[in-house]
Amino acid sequence: MAAVDRSLVANLSMFAGLSPPEQDELLREARSVRYIKGSAVFDQGTQADRFFLLLHGHLRVEKTTPQGQQTVVRYVSAGELFGVAQAMNMTHYPATSVAAVDSIALAWPSSSWRRLIVKYPTLAASALQTVGSRLQDTQARVIEISNEQVEQRVAHALLRLAKQAGKKVDAGVEIDFPISRQDIAEMTGTTLHTVSRILSAWESEGLVEGGRQRIVLRDAHRLHGLAEGDEAIQVRRRGPQAAASSILGRKTSASTECSAHASAIE
Amino acid sequence: MAAVDRSLVANLSMFAGLSPPEQDELLREARSVRYIKGSAVFDQGTQADRFFLLLHGHLRVEKTTPQGQQTVVRYVSAGELFGVAQAMNMTHYPATSVAAVDSIALAWPSSSWRRLIVKYPTLAASALQTVGSRLQDTQARVIEISNEQVEQRVAHALLRLAKQAGKKVDAGVEIDFPISRQDIAEMTGTTLHTVSRILSAWESEGLVEGGRQRIVLRDAHRLHGLAEGDEAIQVRRRGPQAAASSILGRKTSASTECSAHASAIE
DNA sequence: CGGAGAATTTGCGCAGGAGCAAAGAGAGCT
DNA sequence: AGCTCTCTTTGCTCCTGCGCAAATTCTCCG
């Protein structure tokens, strides 16, 4: 089968520590697979027989409880390793991965994992880092859901999405794949109704611009303020909160700058 | 410094794949440290210069937001690896670890990590598994907080604690370390008031038995029912809401697995 | 043994959001 | 074009659980 060109992956952290010949060898063991929008790369609960590296596109990873409640665990962007269940000694995939847009991934047989990490310790380190940062993100999410109001959580979610998959457009920054209010609700632990209401309110404030499965951030700075609970920016609430400056030295830096296009990986 | 006896750790998964001499060598690089109840093993934000293996005791791992809100991330029990920030390429500890009871841990310099995993691939695999299951737990928690009522979440938390650190006593199963309502509130994303109310209600139902920083599960079975939202067991609520949970997840169209056509990236 | 601080219990009122219902708006298909 | 299906918007009501406050009890310590 035609080999994947090394240049496509050489600058990914996973391949960083390897020599070109090693990279080629690793690639030779992989298959490239294409997934059309809406199709599942793998389903929660099925045998974890492969692990993947997303080359192009975006995936939505979701978990469903036995009671049928769905939650969006995260979105995968190009360059990320995913489906590494086997590496964590799990025999089955703990979640479902669905292509949010047409996507392409490299797939290795899970059975090779053990052999590969012995041969390429970089791989283990890379996986560990991937899983580690994923753990940090998830913990951050727990804290958010525990301590913040819905409005703040939605703001955080949008900012994170923009950072991870934001595309600059004239109106601001657009999330680079179709995403519904329902999806956002499942990411923030609320209902699509509430998300819709919030986005509507924000839209009339000029903070965002919505559309069907489409969101554009027009004022990332104010959104950031909202996310941090900055009273001064609060949109809807109107309590007699004595405009206490509450400076607190929180930096106002517009770190919400967004990477133009998919070369994620950070 | 007194050497740690190999027999203390030989049966931990981390040491499972190693020969006795290798185990000894690994142990020789570690220091054994004692922490009295209430003292911190490391603080959030400080340089991650060591990683640990808990030999004895229990630790509470907590994160504090810049705004001062605390959350209990998890509890560490004997035999677990922790503080492996360095392994995930983080230079600082993302959380604080406090001894819930007098505890003993083995500590290795973070700087050795890289060398050690190359020499003992088992170590990397073990760490990966540890972090992986931690990720699963955290994700499960997100789903819980998102979809369950406070009462269910508290029930889940107690059951998990009992499973991880339960000690059989005549009255039932007791959590083996001091834990306050506040702690439970921080684990479940609620307030100590609510937790107190719930536990009081449960106590008068004979489900649990409380005390100062002390909790005994008297009827784990019924608690489990509560945790799963079993209407029949519900203590307080009584609405006849027909369990018509329409389980209509999102349909995922057939996965068009057009195999390997390597001309990746259209 | 008494005092002080920490942890816990409880009452009360309010409101943030969830539930429910239904109409409106796009997008894709035939 | 026309139709249908999915996504989105919005109004209204009700309830869970948070916020606030104060009383109570248990432990540790001098």
Side-chain angles (χ1 to χ4, degrees):
Chain A
M1 105 188 31
V4 176
D5 193 84
R6 185 199 314 144
S7 66
L8 281 174
V9 299
N11 52 347
L12 302 181
S13 70
M14 175 181 160
F15 289 83
L18 305 178
S19 68
E22 288 178 323
Q23 293 177 356
D24 283 339
E25 187 179 338
L26 203 45
L27 285 177
R28 226 181 344 263
E29 300 201 31
R31 293 180 37 175
S32 155
V33 193
R34 202 168 151 274
Y35 300 93
I36 63 170
K37 171 178 171 180
S39 65
V41 176
F42 53 76
D43 283 294
Q44 177 175 353
T46 60
Q47 194 82 25
D49 52 358
R50 297 188 289 179
F51 65 93
F52 307 80
L53 175 66
L54 189 63
L55 288 182
H56 180 82
H58 288 281
L59 307 181
R60 182 180 63 244
V61 181
E62 51 193 23
K63 265 185 124 150
T64 304
T65 66
Q67 289 83 40
Q69 288 153 322
Q70 270 194 6
T71 299
V72 173
V73 174
R74 72 175 198 282
Y75 279 86
V76 178
S77 296
E80 287 185 54
L81 216 45
F82 68 98
V84 290
Q86 184 68 241
M88 311 180 214
N89 265 7
M90 306 186 62
T91 56
H92 300 263
Y93 293 115
T96 297
S97 286
V98 178
V101 296
D102 289 355
S103 303
I104 299 172
L106 286 180
W108 284 266
S110 288
S111 54
S112 313
W113 179 257
R114 223 154 245 298
R115 180 172 48 79
L116 291 177
I117 62 168
V118 172
K119 194 162 180 183
Y120 310 110
T122 319
L123 232 188
S126 170
L128 201 43
Q129 184 180 349
T130 298
V131 179
S133 73
R134 210 164 281 173
L135 176 59
Q136 294 311 313
D137 289 348
T138 310
Q139 284 179 353
R141 200 167 147 193
V142 167
I143 293 176
E144 259 178 39
I145 301 185
S146 299
N147 304 319
E148 297 177 356
Q149 301 282 359
V150 170
E151 193 170 19
Q152 292 180 282
R153 306 207 300 263
V154 174
H156 267 132
L158 288 191
L159 289 170
R160 210 171 308 124
L161 283 170
K163 195 157 152 190
Q164 175 183 352
K167 190 178 65 175
K168 261 224 149 55
V169 295
D170 32 325
V173 179
E174 176 172 1
I175 311 293
D176 204 20
F177 49 80
I179 183 169
S180 68
R181 317 288 140 143
Q182 172 75 42
D183 291 327
I184 296 177
E186 286 179 14
M187 295 180 67
T188 52
T190 181
T191 63
L192 84 162
H193 305 271
T194 301
V195 170
S196 178
R197 274 183 254 272
I198 290 176
L199 289 186
S200 292
W202 284 354
E203 182 147 18
S204 65
E205 290 278 331
L207 280 171
V208 303
E209 193 176 303
R212 190 192 181 78
Q213 309 221 81
R214 186 173 150 280
I215 298 176
V216 179
L217 278 59
R218 306 195 58 155
D219 189 341
H221 186 268
R222 269 215 295 166
L223 260 186
H224 192 270
L226 265 180
E228 298 307 323
D230 211 328
E231 297 288 341
I233 303 188
Q234 210 74 301
V235 172
R236 313 177 308 174
R237 207 118 48 266
R238 78 282 78 111
Q241 31 94 18
S245 48
S246 77
I247 303 298
L248 271 193
R250 287 228 72 61
K251 62 162 185 173
T252 27
S253 83
S255 62
T256 18
E257 200 54 45
C258 310
S259 55
H261 226 42
S263 65
I265 287 303
E266 77 200 43
Chain B
M1 140 188 357
V4 177
D5 192 85
R6 187 199 312 143
S7 66
L8 279 175
V9 298
N11 51 350
L12 301 181
S13 69
M14 176 182 159
F15 289 82
L18 305 178
S19 68
E22 286 178 324
Q23 293 177 356
D24 283 339
E25 187 181 336
L26 202 45
L27 285 177
R28 225 181 345 264
E29 300 201 33
R31 294 183 39 180
S32 153
V33 193
R34 204 167 148 275
Y35 300 93
I36 63 169
K37 171 178 171 179
S39 65
V41 177
F42 52 76
D43 283 295
Q44 177 176 352
T46 60
Q47 194 82 24
D49 51 358
R50 296 189 289 178
F51 64 94
F52 307 80
L53 175 65
L54 189 63
L55 287 183
H56 181 81
H58 288 281
L59 308 181
R60 183 180 63 249
V61 180
E62 52 194 22
K63 264 185 124 150
T64 304
T65 65
Q67 289 83 41
Q69 289 154 322
Q70 268 194 5
T71 299
V72 174
V73 173
R74 73 175 199 283
Y75 279 87
V76 178
S77 295
E80 288 184 54
L81 214 47
F82 69 98
V84 289
Q86 183 68 241
M88 312 181 213
N89 264 7
M90 306 186 63
T91 56
H92 300 264
Y93 293 116
T96 297
S97 287
V98 178
V101 295
D102 288 356
S103 304
I104 301 174
L106 287 180
W108 285 266
S110 288
S111 54
S112 312
W113 177 258
R114 222 154 246 297
R115 179 172 49 79
L116 291 177
I117 62 167
V118 171
K119 194 163 182 184
Y120 310 110
T122 317
L123 233 188
S126 170
L128 202 43
Q129 184 180 348
T130 298
V131 178
S133 74
R134 210 164 281 173
L135 177 59
Q136 294 310 313
D137 289 347
T138 310
Q139 284 179 353
R141 202 166 145 193
V142 167
I143 292 176
E144 258 178 40
I145 301 185
S146 299
N147 304 318
E148 297 177 356
Q149 300 286 76
V150 169
E151 192 170 21
Q152 292 180 284
R153 306 207 300 262
V154 174
H156 267 132
L158 287 192
L159 289 170
R160 210 172 307 126
L161 284 170
K163 193 158 152 192
Q164 174 183 353
K167 188 179 65 175
K168 261 224 147 57
V169 295
D170 32 324
V173 180
E174 176 174 0
I175 310 292
D176 203 20
F177 49 81
I179 182 169
S180 69
R181 319 286 140 149
Q182 173 75 44
D183 290 329
I184 296 177
E186 286 179 13
M187 295 180 68
T188 52
T190 181
T191 64
L192 84 162
H193 305 272
T194 301
V195 171
S196 179
R197 273 183 254 271
I198 290 176
L199 288 186
S200 293
W202 285 352
E203 182 146 18
S204 65
E205 292 277 332
L207 279 170
V208 301
E209 192 175 304
R212 191 191 182 77
Q213 310 222 79
R214 186 173 148 281
I215 298 175
V216 179
L217 279 58
R218 306 194 58 157
D219 190 341
H221 186 268
R222 269 213 294 165
L223 259 186
H224 192 271
L226 265 180
E228 299 307 324
D230 211 328
E231 295 289 340
I233 305 188
Q234 208 76 303
V235 173
R236 314 175 306 175
R237 204 123 44 267
R238 82 289 60 122
Q241 54 124 168
S245 65
S246 55
I247 310 176
L248 52 105
R250 228 182 280 256
K251 67 174 172 190
T252 57
S253 47
S255 72
T256 342
E257 176 116 356
C258 15
S259 62
H261 200 72
S263 48
I265 306 295
E266 75 287 353

